[in-house]
Amino acid sequence: MRLKDKVVLITGAAHGIGRATLELFAGEGARLVACDLEAASLQEAAKATGALAVPMDVADPLSVEKGFREALEAMGRLDGVVHYAGITRDNFHWKMPLEDWEAVIRVNLTGSFLVAKAASEAMREKNPGSIVLTASRVYLGNLGQANYSAAKAGVVGLTRTLALELGRWGIRVNALAPGFIETRMTAKVPEKVREKAIAATPLGRTGKPIEVAYAALFLVSDESSYITGQVLFVDGGRTIGAAPA
């Protein structure tokens, strides 16, 4: 029960890594607020885990404000916020429509800013807490993902800056940087790309949502109480280089 009685809000909670985190945190004793755009899937996930379901569009300031207000009214406080919600619109940059660039930046980077801002307002001068944003190993650069890579690099900069600004209140801000994790998003990746990703990963396989969820558990729990401003890679070692042939 590493999160016993802690109140944690999770975005992107209806599927994939968010759903795995919701289930893990429920088993660790957390009081949960589940947020997502997909109403039906959100209700099912919340019912299965005993969470409060709060619909939220992280790219919409009014939706984020309303969602956090509803969470605080129901729960009284927030001890942790784990922000996963994001999208991809992949293409080589010379083929990328401006609307695809702007949509990915809006959801992944501006959405992270809006969620983190609302989280800090809920915690600042009230109670210390942990904010976990989601970057990606792709922030180091990846073919066909100029928009996503730029957005996730922005999340890293945002994480480090917020850690500096919020430390005085005991609020910790860290980021997860997953590699190739088996989710709905990566299910769309062509098989050749998948094979290359596995070949470039020292552990020789893709990751599971629960493996990212356990990293989030560490960052929200008191076990990481002296850790802030960090990026935790959950990528099977791919960031350090390809496995030997």
Side-chain angles (χ1 to χ4, degrees):
M1 303 294 281
R2 294 157 74 185
L3 300 179
K4 184 172 173 55
D5 297 328
K6 286 186 182 290
V7 180
V8 184
L9 181 150
I10 301 171
T11 73
H15 299 282
I17 299 171
R19 176 64 183 267
T21 302
L22 195 67
E23 293 173 353
L24 178 63
F25 282 22
E28 293 289 345
R31 298 167 58 205
L32 295 164
V33 180
C35 302
D36 206 287
L37 257 181
E38 297 184 23
S41 297
L42 174 61
Q43 290 295 335
E44 190 277 326
K47 183 178 179 181
T49 56
L52 171 68
V54 176
M56 184 184 295
D57 178 356
V58 300
D60 179 353
L62 294 179
S63 178
V64 173
E65 181 181 330
K66 180 177 180 295
F68 271 79
R69 184 170 62 249
E70 185 176 337
L72 286 169
E73 288 173 354
M75 299 295 193
R77 71 178 196 278
L78 285 176
D79 302 299
V81 171
V82 184
H83 174 52
Y84 291 120
I87 63 170
T88 56
R89 297 286 188 274
D90 297 349
N91 217 328
F92 288 111
H93 77 275
W94 60 84
K95 297 179 180 179
M96 187 177 291
L98 180 59
E99 55 266 31
D100 285 356
W101 168 270
E102 292 179 335
V104 169
I105 296 295
R106 179 74 185 177
V107 173
N108 293 285
L109 180 54
T110 303
S112 295
F113 168 75
L114 293 172
V115 169
K117 182 181 179 186
S120 75
E121 288 172 353
M123 298 173 185
R124 202 169 59 245
E125 298 179 348
K126 298 178 181 69
N127 60 281
S130 173
I131 300 170
V132 181
L133 302 178
T134 303
S136 167
R137 67 158 300 280
V138 168
Y139 91 84
L140 299 169
N142 200 44
L143 288 169
Q145 291 192 302
N147 47 7
Y148 192 70
S149 180
K152 294 304 186 178
V155 170
V156 172
L158 177 65
T159 298
R160 294 169 63 88
T161 299
L162 295 185
L164 290 172
E165 294 180 347
L166 295 172
R168 71 184 71 178
W169 288 286
I171 300 171
R172 300 182 295 108
V173 188
N174 294 287
L176 297 168
F180 200 112
I181 309 297
E182 293 292 349
T183 65
R184 292 193 306 170
M185 189 180 290
T186 58
K188 303 173 186 176
V189 172
E191 189 59 31
K192 283 187 177 180
V193 175
R194 177 186 299 271
E195 291 173 358
K196 286 183 179 179
I198 293 173
T201 302
L203 288 184
R205 63 174 177 83
T206 57
K208 302 178 181 67
I210 189 63
E211 293 176 303
V212 182
Y214 271 112
L217 173 60
F218 170 67
L219 291 176
V220 173
S221 76
D222 294 337
E223 294 167 9
S224 59
S225 57
Y226 201 53
I227 298 174
T228 194
Q230 303 304 305
V231 179
L232 177 56
F233 286 90
V234 189
D235 68 348
R238 188 175 177 189
T239 306
I240 60 175

